[in-house]
Amino acid sequence: MTDGVFNPTSLSQSWAQPSKPRPIVIFGAGSIVGDAHFPAYAKAGFPVAGLFDPDHAKAKNLAEKWGVTAYRSVEEAAVNGDVVFDLATPPVHHAGVLRALPDGAVALIQKPMGGDLTEATEILEISRSKDLKAAVNFQLRFAPMMLALKDAIAKGWLGEVVDFDAWLALATPWQLWEFLLKAPRVEIAMHSIHYLDLIRQLLGDPRGVHAKTLGHPGHKVAQTRTSAILDYGDTVRCALSINHDHKFGRKHQACEFRICGTEGAAYLKLGLNLDYPRGEPDILEIYPKGGSDWVTVPLVGEWFPDAFVGRMANVQRYACGEDAELVSSVEDGWNTMALVEAAYRSSAAPATPIAARP
Protein backbone atom coordinates (compact mmCIF):
# COMPACT_ATOMS: atom_id res chain seq x y z
CA MET A 1 0.00 0.00 0.00
CA THR A 2 1.27 3.45 -0.86
CA ASP A 3 -1.32 5.98 0.26
CA GLY A 4 -3.66 3.90 2.43
CA VAL A 5 -6.53 4.19 -0.06
CA PHE A 6 -7.52 1.07 -1.98
CA ASN A 7 -7.59 1.65 -5.73
CA PRO A 8 -8.96 -1.46 -7.48
CA THR A 9 -7.68 -0.34 -10.88
CA SER A 10 -4.09 -0.34 -9.59
CA LEU A 11 -3.99 -4.14 -9.25
CA SER A 12 -1.98 -6.02 -11.86
CA GLN A 13 -4.17 -8.16 -14.14
CA SER A 14 -1.93 -9.08 -17.07
CA TRP A 15 1.51 -10.44 -17.90
CA ALA A 16 4.09 -8.47 -19.86
CA GLN A 17 4.28 -9.57 -23.49
CA PRO A 18 7.44 -10.92 -25.17
CA SER A 19 9.23 -8.56 -27.53
CA LYS A 20 9.80 -11.25 -30.18
CA PRO A 21 7.53 -14.27 -29.63
CA ARG A 22 8.60 -17.58 -31.13
CA PRO A 23 6.25 -19.54 -33.39
CA ILE A 24 4.11 -22.08 -31.53
CA VAL A 25 3.69 -25.74 -32.51
CA ILE A 26 0.67 -27.37 -30.91
CA PHE A 27 0.23 -31.06 -30.19
CA GLY A 28 -3.47 -31.96 -29.94
CA ALA A 29 -6.63 -30.75 -31.65
CA GLY A 30 -9.16 -31.21 -28.86
CA SER A 31 -11.82 -28.77 -27.68
CA ILE A 32 -9.43 -26.90 -25.38
CA VAL A 33 -7.23 -25.99 -28.36
CA GLY A 34 -10.10 -24.55 -30.35
CA ASP A 35 -11.80 -22.93 -27.34
CA ALA A 36 -8.77 -21.44 -25.61
CA HIS A 37 -5.33 -21.90 -27.17
CA PHE A 38 -6.02 -20.53 -30.65
CA PRO A 39 -8.26 -17.65 -29.47
CA ALA A 40 -5.66 -16.66 -26.86
CA TYR A 41 -2.72 -16.73 -29.24
CA ALA A 42 -4.67 -14.82 -31.88
CA LYS A 43 -5.64 -12.18 -29.31
CA ALA A 44 -2.02 -11.78 -28.21
CA GLY A 45 -0.57 -11.88 -31.71
CA PHE A 46 1.50 -15.00 -30.99
CA PRO A 47 2.32 -16.80 -34.25
CA VAL A 48 1.20 -20.44 -34.55
CA ALA A 49 3.14 -22.51 -37.08
CA GLY A 50 0.92 -25.58 -37.00
CA LEU A 51 -0.46 -28.49 -35.05
CA PHE A 52 -0.41 -32.28 -34.94
CA ASP A 53 -3.07 -34.73 -33.80
CA PRO A 54 -3.20 -38.51 -34.44
CA ASP A 55 -6.63 -37.83 -35.97
CA HIS A 56 -5.29 -36.02 -39.02
CA ALA A 57 -8.73 -35.10 -40.35
CA LYS A 58 -9.54 -33.42 -37.04
CA ALA A 59 -6.21 -31.62 -37.05
CA LYS A 60 -6.66 -30.52 -40.65
CA ASN A 61 -10.11 -29.04 -39.99
CA LEU A 62 -8.84 -27.00 -37.04
CA ALA A 63 -5.67 -26.00 -38.89
CA GLU A 64 -7.66 -24.75 -41.88
CA LYS A 65 -9.92 -22.73 -39.61
CA TRP A 66 -6.92 -20.88 -38.17
CA GLY A 67 -4.72 -20.85 -41.26
CA VAL A 68 -1.87 -23.02 -39.99
CA THR A 69 -0.18 -26.26 -41.04
CA ALA A 70 -1.53 -29.69 -40.05
CA TYR A 71 1.48 -31.95 -39.50
CA ARG A 72 1.23 -35.66 -40.24
CA SER A 73 3.51 -36.96 -37.47
CA VAL A 74 5.04 -36.02 -34.14
CA GLU A 75 8.46 -36.09 -35.80
CA GLU A 76 7.40 -33.62 -38.50
CA ALA A 77 5.95 -31.28 -35.88
CA ALA A 78 9.07 -31.51 -33.69
CA VAL A 79 11.68 -30.97 -36.39
CA ASN A 80 12.23 -27.25 -35.61
CA GLY A 81 13.67 -26.42 -32.22
CA ASP A 82 13.37 -22.62 -32.47
CA VAL A 83 9.71 -22.66 -31.43
CA VAL A 84 7.56 -23.15 -28.36
CA PHE A 85 6.02 -26.63 -28.27
CA ASP A 86 2.52 -26.51 -26.79
CA LEU A 87 1.43 -29.97 -25.59
CA ALA A 88 -2.38 -29.94 -25.43
CA THR A 89 -2.36 -33.71 -25.21
CA PRO A 90 -3.92 -36.24 -22.80
CA PRO A 91 -1.51 -36.90 -19.91
CA VAL A 92 -0.66 -40.42 -21.09
CA HIS A 93 0.97 -38.95 -24.22
CA HIS A 94 3.08 -36.20 -22.60
CA ALA A 95 6.23 -38.28 -22.08
CA GLY A 96 6.28 -39.64 -25.63
CA VAL A 97 5.98 -36.18 -27.17
CA LEU A 98 8.65 -34.74 -24.87
CA ARG A 99 11.08 -37.48 -25.88
CA ALA A 100 10.58 -36.52 -29.53
CA LEU A 101 11.45 -32.85 -28.97
CA PRO A 102 14.93 -31.49 -29.70
CA ASP A 103 17.24 -31.20 -26.70
CA GLY A 104 17.02 -27.77 -25.10
CA ALA A 105 13.55 -27.13 -26.52
CA VAL A 106 10.94 -24.89 -24.90
CA ALA A 107 7.70 -26.66 -23.99
CA LEU A 108 4.39 -25.93 -22.31
CA ILE A 109 2.74 -29.12 -21.02
CA GLN A 110 -1.01 -29.42 -20.53
CA LYS A 111 -2.03 -30.28 -16.99
CA PRO A 112 -1.98 -32.70 -15.35
CA MET A 113 1.71 -33.46 -15.49
CA GLY A 114 1.01 -37.10 -16.30
CA GLY A 115 -1.71 -39.37 -14.99
CA ASP A 116 -0.13 -39.82 -11.56
CA LEU A 117 3.00 -38.97 -9.59
CA THR A 118 4.99 -41.77 -11.23
CA GLU A 119 4.30 -40.32 -14.67
CA ALA A 120 5.02 -36.81 -13.36
CA THR A 121 8.40 -38.02 -12.15
CA GLU A 122 9.08 -39.53 -15.58
CA ILE A 123 8.22 -36.21 -17.23
CA LEU A 124 10.49 -34.38 -14.78
CA GLU A 125 13.36 -36.75 -15.53
CA ILE A 126 12.87 -36.45 -19.31
CA SER A 127 12.85 -32.66 -19.02
CA ARG A 128 16.04 -32.70 -16.97
CA SER A 129 17.87 -35.18 -19.23
CA LYS A 130 16.97 -33.24 -22.39
CA ASP A 131 17.55 -29.84 -20.76
CA LEU A 132 14.03 -28.75 -21.70
CA LYS A 133 12.71 -25.38 -20.62
CA ALA A 134 9.37 -26.93 -19.66
CA ALA A 135 6.40 -25.53 -17.79
CA VAL A 136 3.00 -26.97 -16.89
CA ASN A 137 -0.12 -25.21 -18.19
CA PHE A 138 -1.57 -24.26 -14.81
CA GLN A 139 -3.06 -21.17 -16.44
CA LEU A 140 -5.52 -20.29 -13.64
CA ARG A 141 -2.58 -18.51 -12.01
CA PHE A 142 -2.60 -16.13 -14.99
CA ALA A 143 -6.34 -15.35 -15.08
CA PRO A 144 -6.83 -11.58 -14.66
CA MET A 145 -8.81 -12.05 -11.43
CA MET A 146 -6.09 -14.30 -9.95
CA LEU A 147 -3.25 -11.96 -10.88
CA ALA A 148 -5.21 -9.15 -9.25
CA LEU A 149 -5.89 -11.25 -6.15
CA LYS A 150 -2.22 -12.16 -5.81
CA ASP A 151 -1.27 -8.48 -6.19
CA ALA A 152 -3.82 -7.42 -3.55
CA ILE A 153 -2.45 -9.98 -1.11
CA ALA A 154 1.14 -8.95 -1.85
CA LYS A 155 0.26 -5.30 -1.21
CA GLY A 156 -1.25 -6.15 2.18
CA TRP A 157 -4.91 -5.37 1.47
CA LEU A 158 -6.07 -8.60 3.12
CA GLY A 159 -3.51 -8.78 5.91
CA GLU A 160 -2.38 -12.33 6.59
CA VAL A 161 -4.51 -14.89 4.74
CA VAL A 162 -6.12 -17.27 7.25
CA ASP A 163 -9.07 -18.76 5.32
CA PHE A 164 -9.48 -20.13 1.80
CA ASP A 165 -12.79 -21.64 0.69
CA ALA A 166 -13.53 -23.07 -2.75
CA TRP A 167 -17.20 -23.90 -3.31
CA LEU A 168 -18.48 -25.42 -6.56
CA ALA A 169 -21.99 -26.69 -7.25
CA LEU A 170 -22.48 -26.89 -11.00
CA ALA A 171 -23.07 -29.14 -14.00
CA THR A 172 -19.88 -29.85 -15.94
CA PRO A 173 -20.19 -31.29 -19.49
CA TRP A 174 -17.59 -34.04 -19.15
CA GLN A 175 -18.66 -35.43 -22.53
CA LEU A 176 -16.65 -32.65 -24.19
CA TRP A 177 -13.49 -34.57 -23.27
CA GLU A 178 -14.02 -38.08 -24.58
CA PHE A 179 -10.74 -39.42 -23.17
CA LEU A 180 -11.96 -38.59 -19.64
CA LEU A 181 -15.02 -40.82 -19.82
CA LYS A 182 -12.87 -43.90 -19.15
CA ALA A 183 -10.06 -42.28 -17.18
CA PRO A 184 -9.38 -43.70 -13.69
CA ARG A 185 -8.70 -40.27 -12.20
CA VAL A 186 -10.84 -37.31 -13.19
CA GLU A 187 -12.08 -34.66 -10.75
CA ILE A 188 -8.96 -33.87 -8.73
CA ALA A 189 -6.48 -34.75 -11.48
CA MET A 190 -8.23 -32.83 -14.26
CA HIS A 191 -10.22 -30.08 -12.55
CA SER A 192 -9.51 -29.33 -8.89
CA ILE A 193 -5.81 -29.56 -9.70
CA HIS A 194 -6.18 -25.94 -10.88
CA TYR A 195 -7.37 -24.89 -7.42
CA LEU A 196 -4.76 -26.94 -5.58
CA ASP A 197 -2.04 -25.38 -7.73
CA LEU A 198 -3.36 -21.86 -7.13
CA ILE A 199 -3.59 -22.49 -3.39
CA ARG A 200 0.02 -23.65 -3.40
CA GLN A 201 1.03 -20.41 -5.09
CA LEU A 202 -0.84 -18.28 -2.54
CA LEU A 203 -0.30 -20.26 0.67
CA GLY A 204 2.69 -22.47 -0.04
CA ASP A 205 2.84 -26.24 0.32
CA PRO A 206 0.50 -27.71 2.94
CA ARG A 207 1.62 -30.25 5.54
CA GLY A 208 -0.88 -32.75 4.20
CA VAL A 209 -4.43 -33.22 2.96
CA HIS A 210 -7.65 -34.93 4.00
CA ALA A 211 -9.78 -35.74 0.95
CA LYS A 212 -12.64 -37.81 -0.39
CA THR A 213 -13.38 -37.94 -4.11
CA LEU A 214 -16.12 -40.01 -5.70
CA GLY A 215 -18.36 -40.42 -8.72
CA HIS A 216 -22.14 -40.21 -9.04
CA PRO A 217 -24.76 -42.94 -9.63
CA GLY A 218 -26.11 -40.96 -12.59
CA HIS A 219 -23.08 -41.60 -14.85
CA LYS A 220 -19.85 -43.56 -15.18
CA VAL A 221 -17.23 -40.79 -14.91
CA ALA A 222 -14.77 -42.00 -12.27
CA GLN A 223 -15.00 -38.99 -9.94
CA THR A 224 -17.00 -35.77 -10.16
CA ARG A 225 -17.38 -34.80 -6.49
CA THR A 226 -14.62 -33.94 -4.01
CA SER A 227 -14.30 -32.66 -0.47
CA ALA A 228 -10.84 -31.73 0.76
CA ILE A 229 -9.11 -30.01 3.66
CA LEU A 230 -5.51 -28.84 3.29
CA ASP A 231 -3.51 -28.83 6.53
CA TYR A 232 -1.63 -25.57 7.05
CA GLY A 233 -1.33 -25.89 10.80
CA ASP A 234 -3.29 -24.04 13.46
CA THR A 235 -3.72 -20.64 11.78
CA VAL A 236 -4.85 -21.20 8.18
CA ARG A 237 -8.05 -23.07 7.28
CA CYS A 238 -8.32 -24.25 3.68
CA ALA A 239 -11.27 -26.26 2.37
CA LEU A 240 -12.72 -27.28 -1.00
CA SER A 241 -16.27 -28.49 -1.64
CA ILE A 242 -16.67 -29.57 -5.27
CA ASN A 243 -19.84 -30.97 -6.88
CA HIS A 244 -20.02 -31.23 -10.68
CA ASP A 245 -23.42 -32.96 -10.57
CA HIS A 246 -25.62 -30.08 -9.41
CA LYS A 247 -27.90 -30.33 -12.46
CA PHE A 248 -30.95 -28.54 -11.12
CA GLY A 249 -30.85 -25.23 -12.95
CA ARG A 250 -28.67 -22.17 -12.61
CA LYS A 251 -30.40 -20.61 -9.59
CA HIS A 252 -28.41 -22.30 -6.83
CA GLN A 253 -25.31 -23.25 -8.76
CA ALA A 254 -22.01 -21.71 -7.69
CA CYS A 255 -18.33 -21.55 -8.57
CA GLU A 256 -16.61 -19.24 -6.13
CA PHE A 257 -13.70 -18.64 -3.79
CA ARG A 258 -13.76 -16.80 -0.48
CA ILE A 259 -10.36 -15.73 0.83
CA CYS A 260 -10.25 -14.09 4.25
CA GLY A 261 -7.30 -12.36 5.85
CA THR A 262 -6.75 -10.84 9.26
CA GLU A 263 -7.63 -7.38 7.92
CA GLY A 264 -9.53 -7.86 4.64
CA ALA A 265 -11.16 -10.40 2.37
CA ALA A 266 -11.76 -11.31 -1.27
CA TYR A 267 -14.63 -12.94 -3.15
CA LEU A 268 -14.23 -14.44 -6.62
CA LYS A 269 -16.72 -15.95 -9.04
CA LEU A 270 -15.15 -18.18 -11.68
CA GLY A 271 -17.73 -17.57 -14.34
CA LEU A 272 -16.27 -19.87 -16.98
CA ASN A 273 -17.39 -23.04 -15.20
CA LEU A 274 -20.99 -21.88 -15.07
CA ASP A 275 -22.42 -22.87 -18.47
CA TYR A 276 -19.04 -24.06 -19.79
CA PRO A 277 -17.57 -23.31 -22.32
CA ARG A 278 -19.63 -20.15 -22.90
CA GLY A 279 -19.45 -19.17 -19.25
CA GLU A 280 -20.40 -16.03 -17.38
CA PRO A 281 -18.33 -12.97 -16.46
CA ASP A 282 -15.74 -13.45 -13.73
CA ILE A 283 -16.12 -11.38 -10.56
CA LEU A 284 -13.54 -10.15 -8.06
CA GLU A 285 -14.59 -8.12 -5.03
CA ILE A 286 -12.28 -7.06 -2.21
CA TYR A 287 -13.04 -5.81 1.29
CA PRO A 288 -9.72 -3.99 1.78
CA LYS A 289 -7.78 -3.33 4.93
CA GLY A 290 -9.14 -0.16 6.50
CA GLY A 291 -12.23 -0.22 4.28
CA SER A 292 -15.91 -0.26 5.22
CA ASP A 293 -17.48 -2.16 2.32
CA TRP A 294 -16.81 -4.48 -0.60
CA VAL A 295 -15.17 -2.94 -3.66
CA THR A 296 -15.61 -4.43 -7.14
CA VAL A 297 -12.39 -4.79 -9.11
CA PRO A 298 -13.06 -4.01 -12.81
CA LEU A 299 -11.58 -6.97 -14.68
CA VAL A 300 -9.82 -6.51 -18.00
CA GLY A 301 -10.37 -10.07 -19.21
CA GLU A 302 -11.60 -13.57 -18.40
CA TRP A 303 -10.04 -16.91 -17.43
CA PHE A 304 -10.54 -18.09 -21.05
CA PRO A 305 -8.73 -16.97 -23.15
CA ASP A 306 -6.74 -14.36 -21.21
CA ALA A 307 -5.07 -16.75 -18.78
CA PHE A 308 -3.66 -18.66 -21.76
CA VAL A 309 -2.19 -15.40 -23.06
CA GLY A 310 -0.37 -14.78 -19.78
CA ARG A 311 0.73 -18.39 -19.45
CA MET A 312 2.29 -18.43 -22.92
CA ALA A 313 3.73 -14.93 -22.46
CA ASN A 314 5.74 -16.07 -19.45
CA VAL A 315 7.05 -19.11 -21.36
CA GLN A 316 8.01 -16.94 -24.32
CA ARG A 317 9.68 -14.29 -22.15
CA TYR A 318 11.60 -16.93 -20.17
CA ALA A 319 12.81 -18.53 -23.40
CA CYS A 320 14.40 -15.27 -24.55
CA GLY A 321 15.63 -14.11 -21.14
CA GLU A 322 13.03 -11.40 -20.53
CA ASP A 323 11.57 -13.25 -17.49
CA ALA A 324 13.86 -14.61 -14.79
CA GLU A 325 11.31 -17.13 -13.51
CA LEU A 326 9.46 -19.85 -15.43
CA VAL A 327 6.21 -19.95 -13.49
CA SER A 328 4.88 -23.48 -12.85
CA SER A 329 8.02 -25.09 -14.20
CA VAL A 330 8.09 -28.88 -14.23
CA GLU A 331 10.07 -28.67 -10.99
CA ASP A 332 7.26 -26.74 -9.29
CA GLY A 333 4.52 -28.61 -11.17
CA TRP A 334 5.79 -31.86 -9.67
CA ASN A 335 4.90 -30.48 -6.21
CA THR A 336 1.32 -29.84 -7.34
CA MET A 337 1.20 -33.42 -8.64
CA ALA A 338 2.49 -34.62 -5.26
CA LEU A 339 -0.41 -32.83 -3.58
CA VAL A 340 -2.85 -34.41 -6.04
CA GLU A 341 -1.35 -37.83 -5.32
CA ALA A 342 -1.68 -37.27 -1.57
CA ALA A 343 -5.35 -36.34 -2.04
CA TYR A 344 -6.02 -39.60 -3.90
CA ARG A 345 -4.18 -41.59 -1.24
CA SER A 346 -6.22 -39.90 1.44
CA SER A 347 -9.45 -40.66 -0.41
CA ALA A 348 -8.50 -44.34 -0.67
CA ALA A 349 -7.61 -44.62 3.02
CA PRO A 350 -10.19 -45.57 5.65
CA ALA A 351 -11.83 -42.74 7.53
CA THR A 352 -11.29 -42.34 11.25
CA PRO A 353 -13.82 -44.75 12.79
CA ILE A 354 -16.44 -43.50 15.20
CA ALA A 355 -16.34 -45.16 18.60
CA ALA A 356 -19.08 -47.65 19.35
CA ARG A 357 -21.41 -46.95 22.22
CA PRO A 358 -20.30 -48.88 25.32
Side-chain angles (χ1 to χ4, degrees):
M1 294 182 293
T2 56
D3 57 6
V5 178
F6 178 63
N7 177 6
T9 63
S10 70
L11 299 178
S12 175
Q13 296 189 37
S14 61
W15 203 266
Q17 298 299 289
S19 57
K20 294 181 179 180
R22 297 185 179 191
I24 299 167
V25 172
I26 301 174
F27 293 89
S31 64
I32 193 67
V33 176
D35 292 340
H37 291 242
F38 271 114
Y41 303 156
K43 181 175 183 177
F46 297 156
V48 177
L51 77 157
F52 166 76
D53 191 282
D55 185 339
H56 185 67
K58 185 178 181 180
K60 187 176 180 181
N61 287 338
L62 190 58
E64 289 177 351
K65 178 180 177 180
W66 291 94
V68 302
T69 299
Y71 303 113
R72 290 190 172 274
S73 68
V74 170
E75 291 72 23
E76 182 184 357
V79 70
N80 184 357
D82 194 24
V83 300
V84 172
F85 295 104
D86 186 9
L87 279 63
T89 45
V92 68
H93 296 303
H94 292 345
V97 174
L98 290 173
R99 286 193 182 95
L101 301 185
D103 289 356
V106 180
L108 178 60
I109 306 166
Q110 180 61 279
K111 60 81 191 163
M113 187 178 160
D116 55 28
L117 192 59
T118 299
E119 292 184 10
T121 301
E122 180 185 15
I123 288 169
L124 180 61
E125 291 173 346
I126 293 170
S127 299
R128 287 173 172 174
S129 67
K130 293 178 67 65
D131 193 28
L132 302 178
K133 298 179 178 69
V136 186
N137 199 352
F138 290 125
Q139 19 57 34
L140 181 58
R141 294 190 184 200
F142 293 87
M145 58 182 166
M146 298 308 175
L147 291 174
L149 171 66
K150 183 183 177 185
D151 196 24
I153 293 172
K155 291 175 176 175
W157 290 113
L158 274 64
E160 179 186 357
V161 175
V162 293
D163 276 287
F164 189 110
D165 282 300
W167 179 37
L168 279 71
L170 40 76
T172 297
W174 297 105
Q175 69 278 4
L176 292 178
W177 306 278
E178 185 176 351
F179 74 96
L180 292 182
L181 302 182
K182 295 182 180 179
R185 291 182 170 186
V186 179
E187 204 291 310
I188 299 175
M190 301 302 299
H191 187 92
S192 286
I193 189 171
H194 282 300
Y195 313 142
L196 297 176
D197 180 73
L198 180 77
I199 290 167
R200 283 190 57 249
Q201 184 189 38
L202 296 177
L203 300 178
D205 289 309
R207 300 176 180 181
V209 58
H210 308 277
K212 183 66 177 181
T213 187
L214 63 162
H216 189 278
H219 54 72
K220 295 182 179 180
V221 179
Q223 307 95 26
T224 54
R225 297 176 292 162
T226 298
S227 295
I229 298 172
L230 276 59
D231 183 359
Y232 282 99
D234 296 331
T235 301
V236 177
R237 184 187 66 88
C238 180
L240 298 87
S241 177
I242 316 292
N243 178 9
H244 293 273
D245 292 289
H246 197 280
K247 302 176 181 179
F248 309 105
R250 174 64 184 88
K251 182 177 180 181
H252 292 300
Q253 290 182 343
C255 187
E256 55 193 36
F257 293 171
R258 288 178 173 82
I259 298 99
C260 298
T262 53
E263 299 179 271
Y267 167 87
L268 300 94
K269 185 183 87 169
L270 288 69
L272 173 69
N273 290 333
L274 298 163
D275 191 24
Y276 183 92
R278 183 174 61 182
E280 300 177 3
D282 295 327
I283 292 175
L284 171 60
E285 297 178 357
I286 292 179
Y287 195 108
K289 176 182 178 180
S292 59
D293 203 351
W294 290 91
V295 178
T296 299
V297 177
L299 296 174
V300 296
E302 307 285 350
W303 182 357
F304 281 29
D306 297 277
F308 289 78
V309 173
R311 170 66 282 185
M312 178 55 74
N314 170 243
V315 173
Q316 293 271 4
R317 286 174 58 85
Y318 183 81
C320 66
E322 292 177 325
D323 273 0
E325 178 191 3
L326 181 59
V327 179
S328 296
S329 69
V330 287
E331 301 288 340
D332 182 66
W334 189 94
N335 292 333
T336 293
M337 291 299 295
L339 177 54
V340 167
E341 191 73 23
Y344 278 107
R345 291 202 310 269
S346 175
S347 183
T352 303
I354 300 172
R357 181 179 299 178

